[in-house]
Amino acid sequence: MSPVFGEPVVNGLTALSVHPAMQEAGHAVTPAAAGGVFSLTWLVVALPAVSAAVLLLGGRTTKTWGHLLGCATPIASFVLGLVMFVELLRRPGDDRAVAQSVYTWVEAGSFHVEMGFLVDQLSILFVLLITGVGGLIHVYSIGYMADDERRPRFFGQLNLFIVAMLILVLGADYLTMFLGWEGVGLASYLLIGFWQHKHSAATAAKKAFVVNRVGDMGMALAVMAMFATFGTMSFEGVSAAASEASEATLTAIGLLLLLGACGKSAQVPLQSWLLDAMEGPTPVSALIHAATMVTAGVYLVTRSNFIFEGAPVAATAVVIVGLVTLLWGAVIGCAKDDIKKALAGSTMSQIGYMMLAAGLGPAGYAFAIFHLITHGFFKANLFLGAGSVMHAMDDEVDMRRYGALGPVLPATFLTFAMGYLAIIGFPGFAGFWSKDKIIEAAFADNWVVGVGALLGAGITAFYMTRVMLMTFLTRKRWAKDVHPHESPAVMTIPLIVLAVLSVVGGLLLLGGWIVDWLTPVVGEEHHELAVSPWLLTLLIVAVVAVGVAVAFVVLVKREIPRTAPVKVSPFTAAARADLYGDALNEAVLMRPGQYLTRSLVYADTKGIDGTVNGVGALVGGSSGRLRRLQTGFVRSYALAMLSGVALVVLALLAVNLG
């Protein structure tokens, strides 16, 4: 490990994620210059952290102005991040990684850990997404949570979520990343269960927390394995040593990292928490799905590119998990009548695309991040649009009781439509550019993976068209006492901004900018297609058109009942039951664990405790019986002594006579 800030340490700000190609080119990471904008990196995290502390500790005193403070701090962090981004743009390509040491976190003998942040091409994109989209969600929440008595606490917990995610992506080493990783889990638990008076919300929060703990064990074990193997938890240290490690070691670490990523990003087999998480307020759903929690797994795999490039088995596992999840989530989305759960299935599927791309290595890393960013735009737009519909429909979430809302909610309809066109990959919209690149890379790697990704695009077009038709375009199915109305400006303005980003987000690919920008961190590898890219693009558009057409045939030409039919096909029943994900987890994980726990308890109580208690009972019982000989009467003791003497005399006589 080459010292950047002085002598090498076990884990400090020599901890930098540098792709081998970047190292060979002599690219170095520089400390934040005194007085420069990068010396304020800590402030990006500190601003929402202070706001969270004020709002969570201030109680009712913050009721009149707490929401304003809660919105101002992530927006201020976004401005700082934007200034840093511009400064990085002005620097040469080999000088775009800047580290800042905040304080010494742990120092015990030779073990030294610095709490430090790293601003480079990868982390700055996440900072802008987290604070930018997160800031818009905060503004939207002013209107959405206007009547909630605990609104300041809600904004404090939103701020806490932003803080944890910023620590995760800015951390200069795996230990700091893990701190943010756990903070994200805590914040999601608090926000999913924010309305804890609802049993379903409290249960969903606990489920998300428990499922994520399974993934977190993988993350924790991976970090421990890195330290045991390489003697460091730093990005640069692990990157430098990974080339000398055995493939088996890297595979084990890579699979553990993948387990962690599956938990946070709701990938199969740890996907079951995501749909239940819709019990939280809609801005929480938007924040989780667009800018924070579910993107963490993709960031982890991409940041750990040096591990997966040396572990092809682990990389293949990432591809398989991504492919299975993108189809799994898409199928679930086809059968959900709850608008938020339909969008949640969509998120699971779209994150699957990102994981698939990340598993393809240097040929897919940049496109995984590209789709992550565009998805952040249109998925926040869709979720906040769903919240606007719920606001208009007295919190009704069943799309079977919507219909014909387009003319009544023009701003919501038009902005939601932009997100819809982006997610299905309509030509020219953001999702068209990012998803097509992933499908191209998938076909170049393996035609089976490519066909799966292509099929996912068609299913996406079907279920998202279904959402559009059932909500905005088919006949009116409202209850008589419902009077839909457009949301206030504080809610529609963020929708308009996100709608614009959903349209123009594809410009990041203009001239191959995002690929060139990320190459120093993740590398680059051009894929070779067996057919012309234009021909493949036409095929993708055709498949999307088929998905849209099927949705029109199924929904427009048939009457949509206000209640879901009881008798359905086995396929629909399976999709409604989330493809029996909960049943599978119960059979494979919960029940065996339950039986194992009961067996251990039985062995403990009947075996270990039984032995210990048995010995105690034996001693106690014997003592009790022996105690009966102690009567306390002198005559009894005299008689015993006389009897003893008599026995001795008789024994002596017997010996002498013998």
Side-chain angles (χ1 to χ4, degrees):
M1 184 193 309
S2 59
V4 177
F5 299 100
E7 293 300 317
V9 293
V10 172
N11 184 57
L13 286 191
T14 50
L16 306 170
S17 175
V18 185
H19 191 271
M22 185 176 179
Q23 293 176 335
E24 292 170 6
H27 295 208
V29 180
T30 57
V37 66
F38 296 105
S39 65
L40 300 177
T41 302
W42 64 274
L43 198 57
V44 174
V45 177
L47 285 171
V50 170
S51 174
V54 170
L55 294 175
L56 294 176
L57 299 176
R60 295 182 179 179
T61 59
T62 64
K63 188 172 182 179
T64 57
W65 49 267
H67 56 287
L68 300 178
L69 175 65
C71 291
T73 49
I75 293 173
S77 293
F78 172 75
V79 172
L80 271 175
L82 188 61
V83 173
M84 292 178 188
F85 174 68
V86 172
E87 179 60 27
L88 288 182
L89 283 173
R90 295 169 57 184
R91 293 186 171 211
D94 60 352
D95 188 28
R96 285 177 175 163
V98 184
Q100 181 186 35
S101 175
V102 181
Y103 62 90
T104 298
W105 186 7
V106 181
E107 189 164 18
S110 61
F111 185 69
H112 181 88
V113 180
E114 290 284 326
M115 170 62 73
F117 299 129
L118 169 67
V119 179
D120 68 355
Q121 294 93 325
L122 179 60
S123 63
I124 194 63
L125 293 180
F126 274 85
V127 168
L128 294 177
L129 178 69
I130 295 163
T131 57
V133 173
L136 290 171
I137 293 171
H138 276 67
V139 172
Y140 175 96
S141 300
I142 293 176
Y144 192 87
M145 301 295 289
D147 298 326
D148 197 292
E149 286 294 320
R150 299 189 304 152
R151 185 166 68 165
R153 179 181 295 184
F154 179 77
F155 276 90
Q157 292 176 358
L158 282 185
N159 284 173
L160 184 64
F161 213 155
I162 295 290
V163 170
M165 193 65 191
L166 286 172
I167 292 174
L168 192 156
V169 300
L170 283 172
D173 56 79
Y174 281 102
L175 193 59
T176 305
M177 181 195 290
F178 188 68
L179 176 64
W181 192 270
E182 291 302 297
V184 166
L186 171 63
S188 65
Y189 168 76
L190 294 173
L191 285 166
I192 293 170
F194 184 77
W195 288 327
Q196 68 264 34
H197 59 275
K198 295 168 55 181
H199 176 73
S200 57
T203 302
K206 288 185 287 186
K207 183 177 182 180
F209 193 80
V210 170
V211 173
N212 270 273
R213 296 293 73 72
V214 177
D216 290 354
M217 286 301 298
M219 176 67 169
L221 290 172
V223 175
M224 294 176 193
M226 289 178 195
F227 182 72
T229 304
F230 308 120
T232 179
M233 289 174 278
S234 70
F235 297 145
E236 186 189 35
V238 175
S239 175
S243 59
E244 305 298 327
S246 68
E247 183 176 318
T249 298
L250 295 179
T251 298
I253 294 174
L255 291 175
L256 289 171
L257 290 174
L258 175 58
L259 179 61
C262 285
K264 281 291 181 286
S265 292
Q267 300 292 281
V268 173
L270 300 179
Q271 82 292 347
S272 61
W273 66 270
L274 189 64
L275 276 80
D276 296 79
M278 298 305 97
E279 291 293 335
T282 300
V284 175
S285 303
L287 196 59
I288 289 176
H289 289 248
T292 55
M293 190 164 178
V294 296
T295 65
V298 181
Y299 174 80
L300 175 63
V301 174
T302 305
R303 178 62 83 182
S304 304
N305 57 81
F306 39 80
I307 295 291
F308 290 95
E309 287 180 31
V313 172
T316 301
V318 175
V319 172
I320 293 172
V321 166
L323 180 61
V324 170
T325 306
L326 78 86
L327 293 173
W328 191 294
V331 169
I332 289 174
C334 292
K336 293 298 181 183
D337 294 327
D338 184 319
I339 188 171
K340 289 175 66 178
K341 289 190 175 182
L343 293 177
S346 165
T347 297
M348 190 190 306
S349 180
Q350 298 305 308
I351 299 294
Y353 273 106
M354 300 170 209
M355 293 294 286
L356 187 157
L360 298 177
Y365 287 131
F367 301 133
I369 300 303
F370 181 30
H371 193 53
L372 185 149
I373 293 172
T374 60
H375 176 264
F377 298 153
F378 58 70
K379 185 52 60 71
N381 180 17
L382 291 170
F383 262 111
L384 296 185
S388 182
V389 171
M390 292 165 58
H391 178 269
M393 299 294 290
D394 296 341
D395 291 327
E396 176 64 67
V397 296
D398 191 342
M399 294 185 293
R400 292 182 178 275
R401 300 179 183 181
Y402 290 167
L405 289 175
V408 184
L409 312 175
T412 301
F413 169 60
L414 291 174
T415 54
F416 196 95
M418 298 302 101
Y420 157 73
L421 293 173
I423 195 173
I424 69 171
F426 191 85
F429 286 72
F432 168 78
W433 305 105
S434 56
K435 192 188 298 182
D436 276 25
K437 282 299 180 181
I438 293 176
I439 297 175
E440 284 182 17
F443 269 107
D445 182 77
N446 185 294
W447 71 269
V448 175
V449 177
V451 169
L454 180 62
L455 178 61
I459 301 174
T460 300
F462 171 80
Y463 70 71
M464 284 306 306
T465 303
R466 176 177 178 268
V467 170
M468 279 293 294
L469 292 174
M470 292 182 71
T471 303
F472 295 105
L473 299 176
T474 47
R475 73 171 185 84
K476 182 173 72 173
R477 299 181 298 279
W478 321 330
K480 292 183 179 180
D481 57 342
V482 175
H483 304 286
H485 53 282
E486 187 59 272
S487 299
V490 74
M491 294 171 65
T492 56
I493 290 175
L495 287 175
I496 293 170
V497 174
L498 290 167
V500 172
L501 293 173
S502 300
V503 177
V504 304
L507 293 177
L508 293 175
L509 190 64
L510 191 63
W513 179 85
I514 194 165
V515 176
D516 295 337
W517 176 258
L518 291 172
T519 293
V521 180
V522 301
E524 180 183 9
E525 182 180 298
H526 295 285
H527 50 260
E528 297 293 335
L529 285 171
V531 298
S532 167
W534 288 106
L535 184 61
L536 183 57
T537 297
L538 290 175
L539 176 61
I540 297 170
V541 172
V543 170
V544 168
V546 169
V548 172
V550 171
F552 266 91
V553 170
V554 170
L555 290 157
V556 173
K557 294 189 176 182
R558 298 181 184 179
E559 186 72 16
I560 301 175
R562 294 188 75 250
T563 57
V566 177
K567 293 183 179 180
V568 294
S569 67
F571 177 83
T572 302
R576 285 184 181 177
D578 302 343
L579 297 182
Y580 305 112
D582 284 333
L584 180 63
N585 288 342
E586 181 177 335
V588 175
L589 299 175
M590 193 195 86
R591 292 302 177 192
Q594 195 175 59
Y595 294 144
L596 175 62
T597 302
R598 288 175 179 173
S599 300
L600 292 174
V601 170
Y602 181 84
D604 181 51
T605 55
K606 300 299 183 181
I608 299 173
D609 287 351
T611 301
V612 173
N613 294 336
V615 172
L618 177 62
V619 173
S622 302
S623 301
R625 288 177 175 84
L626 290 172
R627 190 168 59 246
R628 293 174 185 173
L629 299 176
Q630 304 293 325
T631 63
F633 295 109
V634 174
R635 62 179 181 272
S636 298
Y637 300 148
L639 179 60
M641 293 172 64
L642 180 61
S643 299
V645 170
L647 288 174
V648 171
V649 170
L650 289 174
L652 291 173
L653 289 173
V655 171
N656 291 330
L657 291 175

